[in-house]
Amino acid sequence: MADIAVLGHGVVGSGVLEVMLTHRESITRRAKEEIHVKHILDLREFPELSYAASFTKDFQVILQDPEVKIVVECMGGLEPAYTFVKQCLSNGKSVVTSNKELVAAKGAKLLALAQRNNLNFLFEASVGGGIPIIRPISQCLAANEVGEIAGILNGTTNFILTKMIREHMEFGEALALAQQLGYAERDPSADVEGADACRKICILASLAFGTHVYPEDVHTEGITRITLEDVAYADAWGGVIKLIGQVKMLESGKITIMVAPMFISRESQLANVDDVFNGILVRGDATGDVVFYGKGAGKLPTASAVVADVIDCVKHFKARKYLFWEDAKPGYVEPFGSVLDAFFVHIKGESSSDAVFAQAEEKFPGAARIIRKDEMPGEAGFSVSGITENDLQAALSELAASGISVLNRVKISDF
Amino acid sequence: MADIAVLGHGVVGSGVLEVMLTHRESITRRAKEEIHVKHILDLREFPELSYAASFTKDFQVILQDPEVKIVVECMGGLEPAYTFVKQCLSNGKSVVTSNKELVAAKGAKLLALAQRNNLNFLFEASVGGGIPIIRPISQCLAANEVGEIAGILNGTTNFILTKMIREHMEFGEALALAQQLGYAERDPSADVEGADACRKICILASLAFGTHVYPEDVHTEGITRITLEDVAYADAWGGVIKLIGQVKMLESGKITIMVAPMFISRESQLANVDDVFNGILVRGDATGDVVFYGKGAGKLPTASAVVADVIDCVKHFKARKYLFWEDAKPGYVEPFGSVLDAFFVHIKGESSSDAVFAQAEEKFPGAARIIRKDEMPGEAGFSVSGITENDLQAALSELAASGISVLNRVKISDF
């Protein structure tokens, strides 16, 4: 029998218990021994639960229990999760976590600590909930150079954008609906400002390219500025707007990485990833594009990924897993503004749309006009490519100086 | 250094060498030691190759070489592959294969032999080419009861159907194009008659539910009977026709499994898997629907999956992998004709379309008429659900007896 402990009995933690109890038999068969949740750390009490006796409020009970070889961290947030996980890994306990904030901020340190102590630190559930992605990237694609990863990594924003695209809801209305349905938190900023997607693309980038990328080094835009006009322009261009986390290896050995809303073509395999679903595209030199798709969050999908890691851990007590990456290195992330890119630009002037576009064309030779349904007088949209963010910014400032307001600009994807 | 041998230097075998050579450095880093292809078995000679000296025509050279711990089988076909693989597993050598025919026909026996000898028998490349699917199903979904798997498992037929749907090519014309582009063999029967997809759904079913399913126990229809009229009816119904391999666990503990062209709804996540791409949907109780998508065949995708298995094997020389299933058991596969299902039916009579449909409605109360663009006089299409294949068959015979020809019938999917 393998004794484990679970830190935190919130949505994911209680889901882990639920999965462990409802699938006890098949889990035992797969792990080749019974897995027993000996302790659950939570400051609250749950007297009504069948396993109420397993609760403790004292982390030391878990840390000092030599029978507990695996600790499952489902507390979320950076502290005290980080301290607890460090102490577990320093005391002979492998750790499984669903905490993306922890992995994005401390992954390299915790992986190094796990390696030094010949323990496992696994986090399949931290990206994509129940979609297997960490293991496929690290293992199945081992004989393949990954060049790029792009994904719809946040279900809440994808739900909001889907409502804007399909039902022409305004952003605020779609957000309110998401909150009402329980898809968005009361404070939705981590979702709609892109921080959640940013943590996930950091983890994927670290894993795929072997060097830790910290969230603060990633250009991150949310979807709060996206309007129904942008959605209509995307449609006229031949695609949809999605919030994308993207990382690409450059020939220089540096990476470009960002989270931003993007125009993506209707032909793209991510274009039909709608509602609360996530989709992750991994572009390899040998495999071509491989896409993983499913529910990226939710109690049971996430819990089942956690439990799968636990099973893996039990089966490989004495074998270190393959997961590892180096800590960050200076200059590894190419500054966002200096990479050639493509953009959609939405402007408005006092004269006719044609005249406004003509003015823009002087600053952006080769700009391709996009005309949306119900375009307003003086309004114009166009795409421009082969330009850096910095140069775009400079040209848009000049346009603004000549009396043309820049209403929005949205990156155009290359996948 | 780990010495390996490769059996067969055809498309996949030469791809394995190519991947091993071009990614030597990263493979060594991931496997934690260098992997060296010591022998290549092929009856042909390749004097122009840099590794020409490694070729042998004698399998005994490989079998008797105690330094070779892993043998990669890329010969295809059942014999001599099966004999060679058995001998390897009986002589202390782990085996990696891309040979779906071998795994579908002999998987349970070879897995049992590998287990007895504490060796690995790995076959990630046998389903889905470069799409990681064997490992995600067996490992990541360990804490999840899989209830159903449905997939577009054959790129050739998917290419042909895509051409029929998008460009209104006739089947024969689309097949000729596929042959011209190298997507279809000169003898395309294994693809277009469904045998290839059948082998793959057998492997997935065996893996997901733990009991071997043999191809001969699977109802298998190809796409040769699909016409442009069917495609138009599918469109009018709200979907597309795809060749689907599907397996479902029934409450009785039996499975229903088949390969057949199916109407699938435009909303289905498999509806947009087009051209030579494959897509596999795994429906779990905890994860919900997870979809894996990518190029299901091709030299480099398949070879990279083979090499990933080799790396995994090298890293776990002393650890048996998780793959295992029992041999087939009688009565485990529910007879195809006895399961309730939904169908599209295309008929033609001498009277008006309305009258023809009215006649059909008498046999099929609750039939829902589908009217396609450019419907011909006397032609009618409808869907019917909650009926078994056997009952459908009987009712259609009665219709035929009353002078109505049954032009086609196509299963309607439930995903």
Side-chain angles (χ1 to χ4, degrees):
Chain A
M1 193 166 74
D3 282 321
I4 72 169
V6 175
L7 310 184
H9 195 262
V11 173
V12 179
S14 64
V16 168
L17 268 297
E18 185 177 332
V19 168
M20 298 284 295
L21 292 172
T22 53
H23 295 80
R24 181 189 296 274
E25 205 180 307
S26 63
I27 289 171
T28 304
R29 196 171 64 238
R30 279 157 178 151
K32 301 205 167 98
E33 59 184 304
E34 205 184 317
I35 300 176
H36 171 236
V37 182
K38 191 171 175 188
H39 307 290
I40 304 161
L41 182 74
D42 205 295
L43 295 179
R44 295 164 297 178
E45 286 173 20
F46 300 86
E48 74 287 4
L49 293 174
S50 65
Y51 49 86
S54 308
F55 279 86
T56 175
K57 295 187 172 68
D58 181 6
F59 174 64
Q60 292 301 321
V61 169
I62 293 166
L63 189 66
Q64 304 305 335
D65 186 337
E67 287 176 354
V68 171
K69 292 278 191 292
I70 300 167
V71 174
V72 177
E73 188 276 304
C74 307
M75 311 174 74
L78 216 47
E79 282 298 352
Y82 179 49
T83 303
F84 287 177
V85 169
K86 257 197 312 192
Q87 291 181 343
C88 289
L89 291 172
S90 303
N91 281 270
K93 300 181 197 313
S94 285
V95 173
V96 172
T97 185
S98 60
N99 185 337
K100 50 193 166 281
E101 194 176 347
L102 177 68
V103 181
K106 303 292 179 185
K109 288 180 184 64
L110 293 171
L111 284 167
L113 181 58
Q115 192 180 49
R116 273 202 303 281
N117 295 309
N118 201 30
L119 294 165
N120 282 312
F121 177 59
L122 302 179
F123 43 86
E124 180 64 69
S126 68
V127 182
I131 313 173
I133 181 73
I134 299 291
R135 222 176 248 105
I137 289 186
S138 66
Q139 205 173 9
C140 299
L141 305 183
N144 190 49
E145 290 297 324
V146 173
E148 178 172 355
I149 297 175
I152 295 171
L153 301 169
N154 179 273
T156 308
T157 46
N158 204 36
F159 175 85
I160 293 171
L161 289 172
T162 303
K163 288 291 164 196
M164 293 175 73
I165 293 164
R166 288 218 199 131
E167 299 171 29
H168 309 291
M169 276 188 196
E170 294 281 356
F171 169 78
E173 193 189 346
L175 171 59
L177 178 62
Q179 287 172 316
Q180 196 185 316
L181 293 170
Y183 296 153
E185 316 261 333
R186 210 159 309 165
D187 173 5
S189 56
D191 290 322
V192 299
E193 302 290 359
D196 178 76
C198 176
R199 288 169 190 148
K200 292 170 182 167
I201 196 67
C202 284
I203 296 172
L204 294 175
S206 303
L207 183 68
F209 301 122
T211 300
H212 196 107
V213 179
Y214 287 100
E216 50 269 34
D217 295 331
V218 176
H219 171 86
T220 303
E221 287 173 51
I223 62 164
T224 51
R225 289 183 312 120
I226 299 299
T227 65
L228 288 181
E229 287 74 40
D230 299 326
V231 169
Y233 276 112
D235 185 59
W237 171 79
V240 289
I241 300 184
K242 295 286 185 187
L243 182 65
I244 301 290
Q246 186 181 26
V247 59
K248 224 191 277 198
M249 177 54 70
L250 304 172
E251 281 187 21
S252 59
K254 296 183 182 196
I255 60 165
T256 167
I257 182 168
M258 73 192 73
V259 171
M262 296 186 195
F263 277 26
I264 66 173
S265 152
R266 229 167 259 129
E267 306 294 307
S268 164
Q269 276 299 320
L270 295 182
N272 294 294
V273 175
D274 285 330
D275 296 318
V276 294
F277 284 84
N278 287 12
I280 300 167
L281 181 153
V282 180
R283 184 164 282 179
D285 65 343
T287 54
D289 290 356
V290 176
V291 175
F292 303 86
Y293 161 90
K295 270 201 175 157
K299 176 176 178 162
L300 291 185
T302 307
S304 86
V306 169
V307 175
D309 271 350
V310 171
I311 292 173
D312 210 25
C313 224
V314 168
K315 283 167 70 180
H316 296 93
F317 259 133
K318 281 166 191 149
R320 269 269 311 153
K321 297 297 292 182
Y322 35 82
L323 294 172
F324 192 74
W325 61 69
E326 308 283 338
D327 207 347
K329 52 192 187 198
Y332 172 62
V333 176
E334 187 73 42
F336 174 69
S338 64
V339 182
L340 290 182
D341 226 324
F343 298 88
F344 157 74
V345 179
H346 184 200
I347 54 178
K348 198 167 185 319
E350 296 301 314
S351 45
S352 73
S353 290
D354 287 357
V356 166
F357 176 67
Q359 255 184 290
E361 223 178 352
E362 284 171 27
K363 303 283 174 209
F364 299 101
R369 178 117 181 239
I370 307 168
I371 300 180
R372 75 168 172 105
K373 233 180 96 206
D374 305 326
E375 198 164 63
M376 306 290 283
E379 187 184 43
F382 61 90
S383 68
V384 54
S385 62
I387 186 170
T388 66
E389 168 79 18
N390 290 343
D391 289 349
L392 177 81
Q393 203 61 58
L396 290 180
S397 300
E398 287 175 30
L399 261 193
S402 63
I404 288 182
S405 1
V406 179
L407 300 180
N408 208 355
R409 61 197 174 63
V410 182
K411 227 183 89 69
I412 296 178
S413 86
D414 60 350
F415 52 81
Chain B
M1 194 164 75
D3 282 320
I4 72 169
V6 176
L7 310 184
H9 194 264
V11 173
V12 179
S14 63
V16 168
L17 268 297
E18 185 177 331
V19 168
M20 298 284 296
L21 293 172
T22 52
H23 295 81
R24 182 188 294 275
E25 204 181 309
S26 63
I27 289 172
T28 305
R29 194 172 64 239
R30 279 160 177 150
K32 303 212 166 91
E33 60 184 304
E34 203 183 318
I35 301 176
H36 171 237
V37 181
K38 191 170 175 188
H39 308 290
I40 304 161
L41 182 73
D42 206 293
L43 296 178
R44 298 163 295 177
E45 286 173 20
F46 300 86
E48 73 287 4
L49 293 175
S50 65
Y51 50 87
S54 309
F55 279 86
T56 175
K57 295 186 174 65
D58 182 4
F59 173 63
Q60 292 300 322
V61 169
I62 292 166
L63 189 65
Q64 304 305 335
D65 186 338
E67 287 176 353
V68 171
K69 293 277 192 288
I70 300 167
V71 174
V72 177
E73 188 275 305
C74 306
M75 311 174 74
L78 214 46
E79 283 298 349
Y82 179 50
T83 302
F84 287 178
V85 168
K86 258 197 308 191
Q87 292 182 342
C88 288
L89 290 172
S90 303
N91 280 269
K93 300 181 197 314
S94 285
V95 173
V96 172
T97 185
S98 60
N99 186 337
K100 51 192 166 279
E101 196 177 345
L102 177 68
V103 181
K106 304 291 180 186
K109 288 180 183 66
L110 293 171
L111 284 167
L113 182 58
Q115 192 181 48
R116 275 203 300 283
N117 295 309
N118 200 31
L119 294 165
N120 282 310
F121 177 59
L122 302 178
F123 43 84
E124 180 63 71
S126 68
V127 181
I131 312 173
I133 181 74
I134 299 291
R135 220 175 250 104
I137 287 185
S138 65
Q139 206 172 8
C140 298
L141 304 183
N144 190 48
E145 290 297 323
V146 173
E148 179 173 356
I149 297 177
I152 295 170
L153 300 168
N154 179 274
T156 308
T157 46
N158 203 36
F159 175 83
I160 292 171
L161 289 172
T162 303
K163 288 289 164 196
M164 292 175 74
I165 294 163
R166 288 219 199 131
E167 299 171 30
H168 308 290
M169 276 189 195
E170 293 283 355
F171 170 78
E173 192 189 347
L175 171 59
L177 178 63
Q179 288 174 315
Q180 196 185 316
L181 293 170
Y183 296 151
E185 316 261 333
R186 208 158 312 163
D187 173 4
S189 55
D191 291 322
V192 299
E193 302 290 359
D196 178 76
C198 176
R199 288 168 190 148
K200 292 171 182 167
I201 196 66
C202 284
I203 297 173
L204 295 176
S206 303
L207 182 69
F209 301 121
T211 299
H212 196 109
V213 179
Y214 289 99
E216 50 271 33
D217 296 330
V218 177
H219 171 87
T220 303
E221 289 172 52
I223 62 165
T224 52
R225 290 182 311 119
I226 299 298
T227 64
L228 288 182
E229 286 75 41
D230 300 325
V231 168
Y233 276 113
D235 186 57
W237 171 80
V240 289
I241 300 185
K242 296 286 185 186
L243 182 65
I244 300 290
Q246 185 181 25
V247 60
K248 225 192 273 198
M249 177 54 70
L250 302 172
E251 282 187 19
S252 60
K254 298 182 181 198
I255 60 164
T256 167
I257 181 167
M258 73 192 73
V259 172
M262 295 185 196
F263 276 27
I264 66 173
S265 152
R266 228 167 258 127
E267 306 294 307
S268 163
Q269 276 299 320
L270 296 181
N272 295 295
V273 175
D274 285 330
D275 296 319
V276 294
F277 284 83
N278 287 12
I280 300 166
L281 180 153
V282 180
R283 184 165 285 179
D285 66 342
T287 55
D289 290 355
V290 177
V291 175
F292 303 86
Y293 162 92
K295 271 200 174 156
K299 177 177 178 161
L300 291 185
T302 307
S304 85
V306 169
V307 175
D309 271 349
V310 171
I311 293 174
D312 209 23
C313 224
V314 168
K315 283 167 70 180
H316 297 94
F317 259 132
K318 283 168 194 147
R320 269 268 313 152
K321 297 296 292 180
Y322 35 82
L323 294 172
F324 191 73
W325 61 70
E326 306 284 338
D327 205 346
K329 52 191 185 200
Y332 171 62
V333 176
E334 188 71 43
F336 173 67
S338 64
V339 181
L340 289 183
D341 226 324
F343 298 89
F344 157 74
V345 179
H346 183 200
I347 53 178
K348 199 168 183 318
E350 297 301 315
S351 44
S352 72
S353 290
D354 287 356
V356 166
F357 176 66
Q359 257 184 287
E361 224 178 351
E362 284 171 29
K363 302 283 175 209
F364 299 101
R369 178 119 182 238
I370 307 167
I371 300 178
R372 75 169 173 105
K373 233 180 97 204
D374 305 327
E375 199 164 61
M376 306 291 283
E379 187 184 41
F382 61 90
S383 67
V384 52
S385 61
I387 187 170
T388 67
E389 168 78 18
N390 291 343
D391 290 347
L392 177 80
Q393 202 62 58
L396 291 180
S397 300
E398 288 175 30
L399 261 192
S402 63
I404 289 182
S405 1
V406 178
L407 300 179
N408 209 353
R409 59 195 175 66
V410 182
K411 229 184 86 72
I412 296 178
S413 85
D414 60 350
F415 51 81

